[in-house]
C-alpha cells in the first residue's frame, strides 16, 4: 500500500472509489469525468489518513511530494501559481469521509492568500474589498481549525469592530477596514496561539491538510460516528480544489440544491442560495437564504443550466442528490454532489416514485429504505382539533410533533434528560458542538438558519421534529428565556413543536397517532411479497391491537396480562388477592378479577380476528403491585411521632401487617426472584383464573363468529418440568371450560425462552411446547448478567463510550452471546419438534440488525411495538433480499465461527 | 414380568438379588444358603410391590396364591400350622427395600395369633404371660400399622392400665391382666377404626402385607428417600418369616451386633442385647440394653457361636456387618445382617484396616468411602481448655460437637431453623416421625434408648452429633423444659452436645477445629496417588490458608478481597473511598487501604509458599459497604420529629448527603448491577490499588525466600473487551511495580467464568486469559435466572418438594444447563489456548457429584472450603477410578446427549 498513489486527480477517480476517496472526492471525480463544471483539484486518499495516524500523526513519507506535484497540475490547468505574485492560485482544503458526516469535520478556504498574494487578487478582480474579506476569512478559519483558537474570539473581534465603526453588515465594510481587522486577527493569533499566521503558502497547505486529518478525531466527529455506527478506523480523505468565489459581487452567489424536495419527496427542485456569499454562509445559517426558484428570475441562464445538471446527476446516481454550487461572475460551478438526506416520508415517496419512473425496480427500492429512518414516519402529529396557542411559525425543517420543556443549551438538554425529563432544545442556531443536545432533545427550535442548516439536517437524520429559522422567536441565552410575540418562554416551560408546519406552540398539546401514506402502503405491500418472516406485535389492549393491525401486524406475539391489573379500579382487587391470608380469600379476589380479564381478552381476540394471539400469563413479582417498603416504613415512623396515642393504636394495625407482608415479599433481586411461572407453580390458582378467562373469552368470541387462535405462553421457564406442570394445568382448564368444543379450538401452549437455561435445554423443553418465543430483553439481561435498570445510564453507558461494547445489547441483539443461545434453542427445539413455532418478542423485534439475525436463524416471526410493525415488515423483506431463504442450521455455523 | 416368580423362599435367593428381594431378603437368603441359623421364611419381591401400586393398590392377580403356597412350605419346615389350634405357626411381616431405610417402613410381628391360637401358644410354652403379651403386641402393631390408629392411644391405655394396677414394668404383668388389656385394645380398635381385629389369620396376613406395601409411601419414608436421593419408584419387598421369641423367659434374648465398633472403627464386637425381650424393645430404646460383652458371661455358648458367625459374615461380605439376633430357649437365630452404618471416623479406620488385613485393596477401599459422610470428621470438637458447665453425660452416639438452642419437638426444630436459628433437638426418644426435626437440628439429645436407637442411627447417618440414653436428663414436654441435675434448661436456652463423649453442656462453648487421624492421612495419600484433578481451597485469610494446607490443599482457588475490607478499622476508610466526591479524595482513601491489603496478601502468600494463589479483585457492589437506605430514611424521619430545630439543622446535613449517595448507588438488582470488573472498569483506581498491593506483597515475600505464584482474577467478565482492558491495567502495574523482576515472577491473569455470556464467548475471552475459574454460584444464578437469596426457602424449596427440580442446583451442579456451559467454555477456551488452566471455585467444588463432573469435563482443579478439601481429594480419586482419564471432548458428547 505504501507504493500506491495517495493523491488522485479528479479525472483519475470515479464514484465507485468512495472507500479510497471519500464520498465527496469520489463524486467530484465522477462529475469531472461526466464533463460537469467542477473546479480542478485532487483528493488525498483515506489510506494516506490512516498512514498519518499509524505513524503517530505525521505526514507519511513521500506524501508531501505527491501533494506538491498534484498542485502543479492544478496550476497548469488554471494557469495560476500557488503563492504567485501576479496570478495566485487559491485552493480549498476539505475533509471527505466514506460516510457522509455533514459539518462534523473541518474545511479551510482561500488557502494561498498572504500579505503579497492578497494584493494580486485585489488587482486582478478589481475588488480589494472582496480580496481582503477573503484573506480575513482564511486567517479566521486557519486560526480556528489549524491553530485551535475558539472561533468565538474572532467573531467577537469582528462584532466589536463593526460596532465601533458602525457597520451594519459585512458587505458594508470597505477594504481598508478589512485590512485593519486582518492586523487585529494576526495579533489575536499571536496572543492565543503564540505563533504567527504563516506567509508561506505551502506551510498553510501542509498545516491545513494535517488539521483536516486530525479533525477525523475531534469530539463531535467521534460522537457522530458513535451515533451512526461508523467505524473509527476508516479515516477521512482530503480534497484540494481550486477556489471559485460566490462573493465577488452581485453576479456571484452560492447555494445548495436538492433534486427533489427532501422533506416531502415532491418532484420539485428544492434549495436555497445567497448572492454575493461564500458557501459556509448558507450552511451556517448566518444569513437567511432565498428559495432556489427565485434564481430563475435573477440568473435565468444559470438556473436553466443548474436544472439540467440536477436532472443529469439524479439519473446518473439514480437517487436524490444534494448539490452544492457556486456562481462566479455568472459562471456555474458544481462543488459537490451527494445522496440527499431526506425525511422518512420523502424516502418512501421517492422510493415508490423511482419505481414508477422506471429508475429502480421494487427490490432496489426496498433495499434502499433505511429502516431506522422510517421511525420518523411513525411519530405522532398535532391533533388539529385541539385549541393551540401558536406563538410563532418557523421553517418546517423536520416533520413530526414534539412536546417538552424548553432548554437553552445542549448541556442542559442532556442533563435534564438524564434526570428523566423531556426537553425541546431552543437555540439561535445549532452547531456540530451541540450534537449531544440534539440527541437528547425531543425536538429542536432555532431562530436562525434555513432548511439545510445544521439543526435541520441533523434533526431530519435522527427523525426528530425540528422548526428552523424562526426569527419571530428572540432568544436570550443569559436570562434563559425567549420571547415569541407577547409570550415569554422560560427555561422549563412546556412547549410543543410541529416540525411538519413550523408552528411553535405554548404548552402541552394532544398528539395524534401517525397515519400511513399511500406510498408507504404500496412499499409495504411490496415488502410483504418478498419477506418470509412474519411480523406480529406486542399489544396489551384492544386499542393497541387494532392499531397494530392497521400497520399490518399478523397477530400478537406478546400480550402482557399484568398491565391489565394496573388500572385504578383493579389494583385494589389485585392487592387483596396478594395480601390474602388464605387460599379461600385469594380465590375470592381472583373471582372478582376473572370477568375483568375475560373482557380484556374478548376485546383483543376481536381485534385480532383470524390472527394468532400469544397471551403471557402473569409475569412480574407480586410486590410490584404493592406499595414500596421504604415508603411504608417512613409512613410508620411519621405516624409514631405525628399522631396521638389513640390514633396510633388504631392506624398502625393495618400498616404493621401491610409492612410485614411487603417485607415478606420483598426480594434482593426481583429480576431473578419469584416471578413468571414460579408464581404460577407456587400459586396455581392465579394461572388457573387467567386460563379460565382466556378460554371463556374464546367461547364468547367464537359465539360471535370470531376466529380465535389463542397461544398461551408460560413465562420464565428454565426447566422442562416447569412447563410440563403448567401445561397440565392449562390442558385441564381447557378440558373443563371448552368441553367438547376443545377439538375445534386450535389453541397452543408454549413458553418464553428468556432464561439461559431454557435455551440450553431447549430440546427437553420442546417436548412440552408448541412454540418458543424468545424474550430477548430478559435473555440479554441474564446472559450478560446485566440488570437493565441498573446498567443503562451507569456502567453500560461508560462501556459504550469506551468501546468495551460495540452496542447497547438491549437495542441491538448480541449475536455472539444471546444469538448463539437463540440459534441453539431453535435447532434443538426443531430437532425434537419440527413443527415448533419460533418467534422473538423482546424490543429487538423492531430493530433492523436483530430482524436480520432472526431471519437468518430461521425464526417464524418477530413481534414488536405497533409503531414499529411497518419497519419490521421492510426489514424482513430486506433480510430476504440480502440473505435469501433462512437457514435453520445457521446457528451451528455461527457457533463454529464464535471462537 | 407377570409370570415371573413373585415369592422366593430364602433358599432360592442370594445377596446379589437385592434389587428384587430388598437388602434384608437378599441377605436372609445368602445366610440361609450359607447354613446360618435363619428361621425359615420367604420374600415377596419388589416387583410385586410395583405391581400393587400399578394396579391402584390391590394385590396383583395370583400373588395371594403364591403367598399361601409359600406359607405351606414354612409350615412343613416348622411342622406347625398357620392358625393351627394345636401348634400354631407365627410369622413376622417386614418391609425390606433395596436401600437401607432403617425404621422408615412398617413391621408386624406375631401374626397368626388369635383368641384360639394364643391359648395353644400359652399351653405349648407353658408361659401364658408370654403368650398373651405376644397377642397384645400383635393387636397393638396391627391396630397401628394396618388400621392406622395412632400408637399413642395404645401406649396410653397400657400406661393407664399399669398405673391402675400398680405394675412397674411390663414383665410384672400377669397373663390375666394382659387378657384384660387385650379386651380393651379390641374395644379401642372398634372405636377408632370401626372394624374388629380379624380372628382369621389369613386376613391378618393379607392386610399386613398390603400395609407394608403401603408403608413405602408413608410420610417419613418419602422424606427419607428425598434426603438420601433414593428413587420413589423402587418399591419395597416384604419378608414373611417364622417367628422366634427372645421373650419366652430368661434363657431368651434379643440383640443387635456390629462386627466392629461402628463409632470408632475399633476391631471389637460391639452391640447390645436384652434378655427376655422382643427385637423392637432394643431398637425402640424402651429399655436400656446391656453391652454385648456381658453375653459372654450370661450365655457363653451362644456368645461363642455369635462371634464365629459375626466373623464369618464380615469375611463373607468384606465389610462391617450389623446383625440382629434372637436367642430362643438358648438357641441362637440370626434374623438379619446388613452393611453396618458407621461414623466417618470408623469408615476411614475400617477402610484402612481392611486394606491392612488384605480384605480389600486400596482402590476398593477408596471407592467404598462415602464422601459426604466424611464431612462428619470435619466437624468441630469442644475445646477442652474451655470451662465447661457439664450438666449430664449420656451415650456418645454420634461424634462431633454441636451448639444450639434447645427445642423439645421436631416441628419446633423445623420452624426455628426456618426462622434462621440453630437448635438442638431434646427428646425422651425419637421415632421415625421425628426425622424432619433431626434433619433441622444441629444435634440430638435423648434421655432414653441406646447406641442403636433410632436417634443414634439417624444422627450418625447424617453426621450430626448425638447424645443418647442420657437418663439424667428429665424432660417435660408440656412445660417445654428439662431438668439436668440442678439445672433447668428451658426452650430457647443454649446448650452444647459432645457426641464423642456424651457430655451435655449448658451454654455456648468454644469449638476447636477438627484434626486429621493417621488413618485418614493414609487414605488421603492413597487418593492423591490415584487422582488427576487438583484440589485447591477458597480462603480469604492466612489462617484459613494454613488450615487448608494442612488438609492438603494445593493452592488457593479463590481469595476474595472484599472480605478484607469488612473489618471494623477498615470499613470507615472503605466508606470514605466510596463516598469521595473527587478522584483525588478517592485516591487518598485508597492509599490508606493499600498497606492493609498488601499485608493481607503477604500473609496469604506466606501460608501458600510454593502453591498458586488466585486473588479475585473487588467484586461486590459498593453499596454493600454502606448503611442500608431504609435504615437511613427511618433515621431521617425520626430526627425530624425527635430533635429540636437546632439539632436538626446540624445533624441532617451529613445524613442528607449520605442518603443521596446511598440512593445513587442503590440498585434494583444488585446481583446484576455494577459489580465485578464493571467496578474495575468504571473506577480503575480501585483495581490499581489492589494490583499494586498484590505485586508489592509479591516482592516483599520473594525477598524472604517465599515462592509466590500469584494468579490475578478479574471477576464477572461477560465480554472479551472487559478482560482485555483489565489485563492491560494489571500488566501496566506489574511493569511499574516489579520492574526488571517481572520476568522472574510467573504471575497469571485470568477470569472467573460466572456470566453465561462469558462461557458462550469463551474462545474470545481465552485470548486474554491465562486461566478460567468457573464461579458456579453466580453462573447457576444467572443460567437459571435465580437469585439465591430470593429462591432458597421460597419457590426453590417448593420446586424440590414438588419434583420440579431433582436437586437444589446450588448444592449439586446442574450438568444439563450450567454444566453444558462449562463444557463448552473449556473446549472453546482450550481450542484457542491449549495451556489454559481451568478450575471451579463455587460451592460445588466440595460436592461429590459436581467433582465427578469436573473430572469428566477435564478441569485442572476444584477449589472448595478448607474443611471440604479432604473430601474433594477422595472424590477426585473416586472420579478417576470410576471414569478413567478425563476427556476434554466430554462436553461435546454431553451437548449432543441433551436434546
Amino acid at each position: 500500500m505504501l507504493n500506491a498513489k495517495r493523491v488522485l486527480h479528479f479525472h483519475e477517480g470515479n464514484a465507485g472509489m468512495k472507500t479510497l476517496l471519500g464520498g465527496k472526492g469520489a463524486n467530484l471525480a465522477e462529475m469531472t469525468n461526466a464533463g460537469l463544471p467542477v473546479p480542478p483539484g485532487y483528493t488525498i486518499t483515506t489510506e494516506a489518513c490512516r498512514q498519518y495516524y499509524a505513524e503517530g500523526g505525521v505526514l507519511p513519507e513521500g506524501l508531501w511530494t505527491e501533494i506538491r506535484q498534484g498542485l502543479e497540475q492544478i496550476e497548469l490547468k488554471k494557469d495560476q501559481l500557488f503563492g504567485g505574485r501576479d496570478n495566485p492560485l487559491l485552493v480549498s482544503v476539505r475533509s471527505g469521509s466514506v460516510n457522509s458526516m455533514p459539518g462534523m469535520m473541518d474545511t479551510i478556504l482561500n488557502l494561498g492568500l498572504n500579505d503579497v498574494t492578497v494584493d494580486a487578487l485585489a488587482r486582478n478582480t478589481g475588488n480589494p474589498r472582496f480580496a481582503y474579506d477573503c484573506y480575513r476569512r482564511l486567517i479566521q478559519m486557519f486560526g480556528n481549525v489549524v491553530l485551535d483558537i475558539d472561533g468565538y474570539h474572532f467573531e467577537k473581534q469582528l462584532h466589536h469592530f463593526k460596532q465601533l465603526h458602525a457597520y451594519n453588515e459585512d458587505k458594508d465594510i470597505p477594504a481598508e477596514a478589512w485590512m485593519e481587522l486582518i492586523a487585529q486577527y494576526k495579533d489575536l493569533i499571536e496572543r492565543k496561539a503564540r505563533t504567527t499566521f504563516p506567509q508561506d503558502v505551502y506551510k498553510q497547505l501542509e498545516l491545513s491538510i494535517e488539521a483536516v486529518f486530525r479533525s477525523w478525531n475531534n469530539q463531535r466527529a467521534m460522537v457522530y460516528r458513535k451515533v451512526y455506527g461508523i467505524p473509527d478506523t476508516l479515516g477521512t480523505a482530503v480534497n484540494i480544489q481550486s477556489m471559485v468565489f460566490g462573493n465577488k459581487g452581485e453576479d456571484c452567489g452560492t447555494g445548495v440544491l436538492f433534486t427533489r424536495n427532501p422533506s416531502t419527496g415532491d418532484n420539485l427542485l428544492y434549495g436555497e442560495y445567497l448572492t454575493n456569499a461564500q458557501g459556509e454562509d448558507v450552511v451556517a445559517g448566518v444569513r437567511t437564504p432565498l428559495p432556489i426558484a427565485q434564481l430563475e428570475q435573477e440568473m435565468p441562464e444559470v438556473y436553466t443550466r443548474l436544472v439540467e445538471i440536477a436532472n443529469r446527476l439524479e439519473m446518473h446516481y439514480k437517487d436524490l442528490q444534494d448539490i452544492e454550487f457556486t456562481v462566479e461572475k455568472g459562471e456555474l460551478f458544481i462543488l459537490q454532489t451527494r445522496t440527499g438526506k431526506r425525511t422518512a416520508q420523502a424516502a418512501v415517496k421517492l422510493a415508490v416514485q423511482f419505481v414508477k419512473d422506471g429508475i429502480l425496480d421494487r427490490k432496489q427500492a426496498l433495499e434502499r429504505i433505511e429502516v431506522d429512518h422510517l421511525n420518523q414516519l411513525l411519530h405522532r402529529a398535532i391533533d388539529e382539533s385541539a385549541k393551540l396557542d401558536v406563538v410563532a411559525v418557523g421553517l418546517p425543517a423536520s416533520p413530526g410533533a414534539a412536546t417538552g420543556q424548553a432548554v437553552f443549551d445542549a448541556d442542559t438538554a442532556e442533563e435534564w434528560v438524564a434526570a428523566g425529563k423531556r426537553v425541546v432544545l431552543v437555540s439561535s442556531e445549532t452547531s456540530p458542538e451541540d450534537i449531544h443536545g440534539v440527541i437528547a432533545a425531543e425536538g429542536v427550535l432555532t431562530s436562525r438558519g434555513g432548511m439545510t442548516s445544521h439543526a435541520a439536517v441533523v434533526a431530519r437524520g435522527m427523525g426528530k421534529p425540528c422548526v428552523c429559522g424562526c426569527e419571530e422567536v428572540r432568544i436570550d441565552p443569559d436570562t434563559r428565556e425567549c420571547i415569541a410575540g407577547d409570550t415569554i418562554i422560560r427555561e422549563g416551560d412546556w412547549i410543543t413543536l410541529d416540525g411538519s408546519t413550523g408552528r411553535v406552540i405554548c404548552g402541552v398539546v394532544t398528539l395524534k397517532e401517525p397515519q400511513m401514506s399511500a406510498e408507504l402502503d404500496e412499499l409495504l405491500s411490496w415488502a410483504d411479497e418478498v419477506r418470509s418472516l412474519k411480523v406480529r406485535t406486542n399489544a396489551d389492549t384492544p386499542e393497541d391491537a387494532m392499531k397494530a393491525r392497521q400497520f399490518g401486524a399478523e397477530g400478537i406475539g406478546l400480550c402482557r396480562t399484568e398491565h391489565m391489573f394496573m388500572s385504578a379500579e383493579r389494583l385494589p382487587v389485585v392487592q387483596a388477592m396478594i395480601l390474602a391470608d388464605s387460599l379461600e380469600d385469594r380465590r375470592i379476589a381472583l373471582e372478582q378479577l376473572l370477568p375483568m380479564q375475560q373482557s380484556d381478552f374478548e376485546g383483543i381476540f376481536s381485534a385480532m380476528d383470524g390472527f394468532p394471539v400469544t397471551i403471557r400469563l402473569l409475569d412480574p413479582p407480586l410486590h410490584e403491585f404493592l406499595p414500596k417498603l421504604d415508603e411504608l416504613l417512613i409512613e410508620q415512623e411519621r405516624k409514631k411521632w405525628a399522631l396521638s396515642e389513640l390514633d396510633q393504636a388504631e392506624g398502625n394495625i393495618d400498616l404493621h401487617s401491610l409492612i410485614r407482608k411487603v417485607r415478606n415479599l420483598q426480594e434482593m433481586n426481583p429480576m431473578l426472584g419469584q416471578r413468571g411461572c414460579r408464581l404460577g407453580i407456587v400459586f396455581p390458582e392465579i394461572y388457573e383464573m387467567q386460563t379460565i378467562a382466556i378460554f371463556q373469552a374464546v367461547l364468547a368470541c367464537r359465539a360471535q363468529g370470531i376466529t380465535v387462535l389463542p397461544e398461551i405462553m408460560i413465562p420464565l421457564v428454565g426447566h422442562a418440568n416447569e412447563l410440563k406442570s403448567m401445561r397440565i394445568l392449562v390442558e385441564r382448564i381447557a378440558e373443563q371450560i371448552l368441553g367438547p368444543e376443545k377439538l375445534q379450538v386450535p389453541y397452543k401452549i408454549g413458553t418464553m425462552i428468556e432464561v439461559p437455561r431454557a435455551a440450553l435445554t431447549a430440546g427437553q423443553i420442546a417436548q412440552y411446547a408448541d412454540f418458543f418465543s424468545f424474550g430477548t430483553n430478559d435473555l440479554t439481561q441474564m446472559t450478560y448478567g446485566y440488570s437493565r435498570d441498573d446498567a443503562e445510564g451507569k456502567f453500560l453507558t461508560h462501556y459504550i463510550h469506551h468501546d468495551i461494547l460495540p452496542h447497547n445489547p438491549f437495542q441491538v441483539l448480541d449475536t455472539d452471546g444471546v444469538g448463539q443461545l437463540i440459534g441453539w434453542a431453535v435447532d434443538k427445539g426443531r430437532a425434537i419438534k419440527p413443527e415448533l413455532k419460533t418467534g422473538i418478542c423482546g424490543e429487538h423485534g423492531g430493530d433492523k440488525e436483530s430482524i436480520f439475525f432472526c431471519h437468518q436463524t430461521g425464526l417464524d416471526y418477530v413481534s414488536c411495538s405497533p409503531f414499529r410493525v411497518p419497519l419490521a415488515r421492510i426489514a424482513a423483506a430486506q433480510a430476504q433480499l440480502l440473505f435469501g431463504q433462512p437457514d435453520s442450521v445457521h446457528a451451528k455455523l455461527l457457533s463454529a465461527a464464535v471462537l
Side-chain angles (χ1 to χ4, degrees), chain A:
Chain A
M1 278 306 262
L2 267 174
N3 295 323
K5 261 181 105 165
R6 289 166 301 190
V7 166
L8 275 85
H9 282 274
F10 292 161
H11 61 82
E12 295 173 316
N14 61 56
M17 294 167 76
K18 253 183 155 177
T19 311
L20 195 60
L21 303 179
K24 181 180 295 190
N27 283 330
L28 285 169
E30 186 84 6
M31 288 193 291
T32 300
N33 287 316
L36 297 188
V38 174
Y42 61 82
T43 304
I44 304 172
T45 64
T46 56
E47 173 58 24
C49 178
R50 290 190 291 270
Q51 288 174 13
Y52 171 83
Y53 278 107
E55 297 185 12
V58 292
L59 290 187
E61 207 187 317
L63 182 60
W64 181 241
T65 312
E66 290 182 59
I67 288 168
R68 290 198 63 153
Q69 286 165 355
L71 207 57
E72 284 165 22
Q73 289 205 31
I74 304 180
E75 289 174 329
L76 282 175
K77 278 186 193 142
K78 295 277 287 190
D79 192 19
Q80 290 176 321
L81 267 182
F82 191 54
R85 295 175 163 270
D86 299 325
N87 192 12
L89 172 67
L90 304 186
V91 298
S92 62
V93 174
R94 291 171 203 260
S95 61
S97 60
V98 180
N99 308 75
S100 173
M101 293 167 60
M104 291 302 122
M105 287 180 299
D106 292 321
T107 288
I108 302 168
L109 305 177
N110 307 346
L111 265 114
L113 284 177
N114 59 20
D115 294 350
V116 176
T117 56
V118 68
D119 280 336
L121 185 65
R123 272 196 318 276
N124 295 348
T125 58
N127 190 343
R129 205 208 66 77
F130 156 72
Y132 287 96
D133 185 16
C134 285
Y135 190 26
R136 82 80 203 171
R137 283 176 192 252
L138 168 62
I139 297 171
Q140 185 168 348
M141 279 188 274
F142 192 92
N144 176 223
V145 172
V146 179
L147 302 176
D148 214 20
I149 300 166
D150 201 320
Y152 159 81
H153 296 293
F154 293 99
E155 293 292 349
K156 204 173 72 178
Q157 194 108 6
L158 174 59
H159 184 72
H160 185 250
F161 188 82
K162 279 159 80 175
Q163 279 197 318
L164 194 71
H165 296 87
Y167 299 125
N168 274 329
E169 291 197 45
D170 287 7
K171 63 177 180 179
D172 303 333
I173 302 173
E176 295 69 32
W178 281 128
M179 287 162 83
E180 198 186 326
L181 187 68
I182 285 165
Q184 290 182 9
Y185 271 14
K186 283 181 179 170
D187 281 353
L188 180 66
I189 284 180
E190 289 209 30
R191 269 203 325 279
K192 293 282 174 191
R194 309 219 165 267
T195 184
T196 52
F197 173 77
Q199 291 297 316
D200 176 351
V201 295
Y202 288 103
K203 197 75 203 164
Q204 289 175 9
L205 182 65
E206 187 188 345
L207 293 175
S208 298
I209 290 169
E210 288 195 45
V212 173
F213 279 160
R214 281 200 306 272
S215 74
W216 172 253
N217 274 341
N218 70 31
Q219 196 55 36
R220 61 185 193 271
M222 289 198 294
V223 169
Y224 188 95
R225 289 200 295 271
K226 184 80 62 195
V227 170
Y228 288 96
I230 300 169
D232 287 332
T233 49
L234 296 178
T236 182
V238 180
N239 298 292
I240 314 290
Q241 192 173 23
S242 50
M243 289 295 304
V244 286
F245 292 97
N247 56 343
K248 276 186 179 172
E250 292 307 313
D251 56 349
C252 300
T254 189
V256 172
L257 175 78
F258 286 84
T259 53
R260 304 188 186 209
N261 187 319
S263 188
T264 63
D266 289 341
N267 190 2
L268 279 173
L269 279 196
Y270 178 90
E272 296 161 322
Y273 75 102
L274 280 172
T275 49
N276 201 8
Q278 271 202 332
E280 75 267 28
D281 298 336
V282 183
V283 177
V286 175
R287 281 160 60 193
T288 302
L290 303 168
I292 197 73
Q294 229 163 295
L295 190 65
E296 195 170 8
Q297 278 92 57
E298 293 202 18
M299 302 181 189
E301 276 169 42
V302 168
Y303 184 76
T304 308
R305 175 86 173 116
L306 190 60
V307 170
E308 182 244 326
I309 288 174
N311 288 338
R312 240 179 99 184
L313 285 170
E314 187 179 273
M315 284 304 291
H316 185 82
Y317 287 104
K318 299 187 171 194
D319 204 349
L320 172 71
Q321 292 301 297
D322 167 356
I323 299 164
E324 287 179 17
F325 65 93
T326 287
V327 182
E328 186 182 71
K329 297 281 169 192
E331 187 179 355
L332 177 66
F333 292 94
I334 305 296
L335 298 181
Q336 169 158 302
T337 191
R338 56 185 172 188
T339 304
K341 292 204 180 286
R342 65 208 76 183
T343 62
Q345 188 191 338
V348 168
K349 190 160 187 172
L350 288 171
V352 172
Q353 202 54 52
F354 284 143
V355 171
K356 302 242 152 117
D357 295 349
I359 297 172
L360 299 177
D361 66 21
R362 289 179 177 188
K363 288 181 181 178
Q364 288 171 320
L366 281 169
E367 280 173 333
R368 184 174 284 177
I369 296 292
E370 281 181 44
V371 169
D372 290 336
H373 198 189
L374 272 192
N375 194 20
Q376 186 175 331
L377 270 193
L378 308 165
H379 271 147
R380 294 170 182 197
I382 284 174
D383 185 350
E384 294 303 326
S385 65
K387 200 169 153 340
L388 302 178
D389 178 12
V390 178
V391 292
V393 176
L395 300 172
S398 181
T403 289
Q405 290 176 275
V407 292
F408 293 94
D409 66 274
D411 291 343
T412 307
E414 201 177 46
E415 277 166 31
W416 286 31
V417 168
K421 299 182 178 177
R422 286 188 298 144
V423 305
V424 168
L425 178 61
V426 182
S427 182
S428 50
E429 56 191 319
T430 71
S431 77
E433 277 86 6
D434 299 321
I435 190 161
H436 59 292
V438 180
I439 291 171
E442 299 285 312
V444 179
L445 167 63
T446 68
S447 55
R448 282 193 288 173
M451 296 289 282
T452 52
S453 68
H454 175 264
V457 170
V458 170
R460 274 204 296 276
M462 293 180 183
K464 291 194 193 256
C466 176
V467 173
C468 270
C470 186
E471 295 178 4
E472 298 171 62
V473 171
R474 276 151 312 166
I475 300 170
D476 186 339
D478 290 336
T479 60
R480 307 188 86 72
E481 57 184 38
C482 68
I483 299 167
D486 304 335
T487 311
I488 296 176
I489 300 168
R490 294 197 179 76
E491 191 156 69
D493 288 350
W494 286 85
I495 63 171
T496 297
L497 300 183
D498 181 2
S500 310
T501 64
R503 288 175 301 177
V504 180
I505 300 152
C506 263
V508 179
V509 174
T510 316
L511 302 182
K512 72 170 190 226
E513 303 310 331
Q515 298 298 318
M516 303 271 277
S517 69
E519 285 92 352
L520 181 54
D521 263 341
E522 185 149 18
L523 196 69
L524 286 168
S525 73
W526 301 343
D528 293 347
E529 283 165 19
V530 169
R531 68 189 166 91
S532 58
L533 194 64
K534 297 259 178 207
V535 177
R536 296 196 191 178
T537 192
N538 300 349
D540 307 335
T541 63
E543 295 71 37
D544 277 358
M546 281 306 297
K547 194 179 309 148
R549 227 183 131 162
Q550 285 157 14
F551 285 149
E554 296 159 296
I556 291 183
L558 176 61
C559 171
R560 283 161 295 214
T561 51
E562 55 270 21
H563 291 184
M564 303 172 181
F565 283 176
M566 290 293 192
S567 70
E569 78 272 23
R570 296 186 187 182
L571 195 56
V573 187
V574 174
Q575 293 181 340
M577 182 269 283
I578 295 169
L579 297 174
D581 277 319
S582 66
L583 182 59
E584 195 46 47
D585 288 350
R586 189 173 306 119
R587 282 203 194 280
I588 291 169
L590 284 168
E591 267 163 36
Q592 283 182 268
L593 287 172
L594 177 61
M596 304 178 190
Q597 281 257 292
Q598 184 179 334
S599 86
D600 294 329
F601 295 138
E602 286 177 25
I604 288 170
F605 289 149
S606 305
M608 278 289 158
D609 187 1
F611 286 116
V613 174
T614 307
I615 296 168
R616 181 177 71 183
L617 301 187
L618 195 66
D619 183 58
L622 297 181
H623 48 77
E624 282 197 10
F625 299 97
L626 299 179
K628 297 267 164 294
L629 181 63
D630 56 2
E631 288 163 13
L632 291 175
L633 288 172
I634 290 176
E635 176 66 17
Q636 187 182 39
E637 197 62 30
R638 192 168 288 156
K639 281 198 171 167
K640 262 194 215 160
W641 298 102
L643 295 181
S644 76
E645 275 180 38
L646 191 72
D647 286 344
Q648 200 178 323
E650 231 177 291
N652 274 8
I653 296 165
D654 278 335
L655 189 57
H656 268 137
S657 95
L658 185 58
I659 286 175
R660 195 171 43 78
K661 296 228 173 181
V662 171
R663 212 190 271 280
N664 246 331
L665 286 171
Q666 221 195 2
E667 293 182 310
M668 295 283 289
N669 298 286
M671 173 73 215
L672 307 177
Q674 183 150 349
R675 47 178 286 245
C677 69
R678 299 165 197 173
L679 280 178
I681 289 170
V682 176
F683 304 109
E685 56 276 14
I686 299 178
Y687 276 19
E688 274 170 19
M689 179 280 283
Q690 294 199 298
T691 310
I692 292 169
I694 291 169
F695 285 121
Q696 286 184 352
V698 167
L699 288 183
C701 287
R702 283 172 59 82
Q704 294 168 51
I706 294 165
T707 303
V708 191
L709 302 169
E711 303 187 338
I712 296 176
M713 179 150 74
I714 309 298
L716 216 71
V717 164
H719 193 287
N721 285 346
E722 293 176 311
L723 184 58
K724 182 181 176 187
S725 113
M726 291 297 96
R727 187 177 185 103
I728 289 168
L729 180 149
V730 173
E731 294 280 18
R732 175 167 54 74
I733 304 281
E735 187 73 48
Q736 173 189 326
I737 303 294
L738 300 178
E741 225 172 312
K742 189 163 179 267
L743 293 175
Q744 272 80 54
V745 179
Y747 68 86
K748 291 185 192 295
I749 303 170
T751 183
M752 211 145 165
I753 303 283
E754 51 187 333
V755 168
R757 195 179 186 283
L760 291 166
T761 60
Q764 295 167 1
I765 291 172
Q767 295 171 33
Y768 308 105
D770 304 323
F771 63 87
F772 282 173
S773 175
F774 292 94
T776 49
N777 293 355
D778 277 11
L779 193 57
T780 300
Q781 295 199 78
M782 294 184 203
T783 303
Y784 268 94
Y786 290 170
S787 161
R788 195 169 176 179
D789 292 318
D790 302 312
E792 285 185 338
K794 288 195 171 175
F795 66 86
L796 191 51
T797 314
H798 182 98
Y799 271 24
I800 294 163
H801 275 264
H802 292 77
D803 286 327
I804 301 283
L805 293 182
H807 307 284
N808 179 338
F810 296 109
Q811 283 164 13
V812 179
L813 191 76
D814 159 45
T815 49
D816 278 6
V818 178
Q820 207 181 147
L821 286 175
I822 295 175
W824 170 271
V826 170
D827 286 355
K828 292 291 157 182
R830 292 221 178 113
I832 288 297
K833 193 171 278 180
E835 72 280 14
L836 186 80
K837 255 203 208 179
T838 56
I840 183 177
C841 64
E843 275 169 53
H844 301 96
D847 169 69
K848 185 184 81 169
E849 294 295 328
S850 311
I851 291 170
F852 284 6
F853 173 83
C854 293
H855 172 88
Q856 289 172 281
T857 309
L859 298 192
D860 295 309
Y861 68 86
V862 297
S863 186
C864 54
S865 69
F867 288 110
R868 294 193 78 90
V869 166
L871 282 66
R873 288 161 72 192
I874 304 264
Q878 291 181 337
Q880 180 77 33
L881 293 172
L882 270 168
F883 306 108
Q885 263 312 101
D887 171 14
S888 78
V889 294
H890 162 82
K892 278 173 210 148
L893 299 172
L894 181 82
S895 301
V898 175
L899 293 174

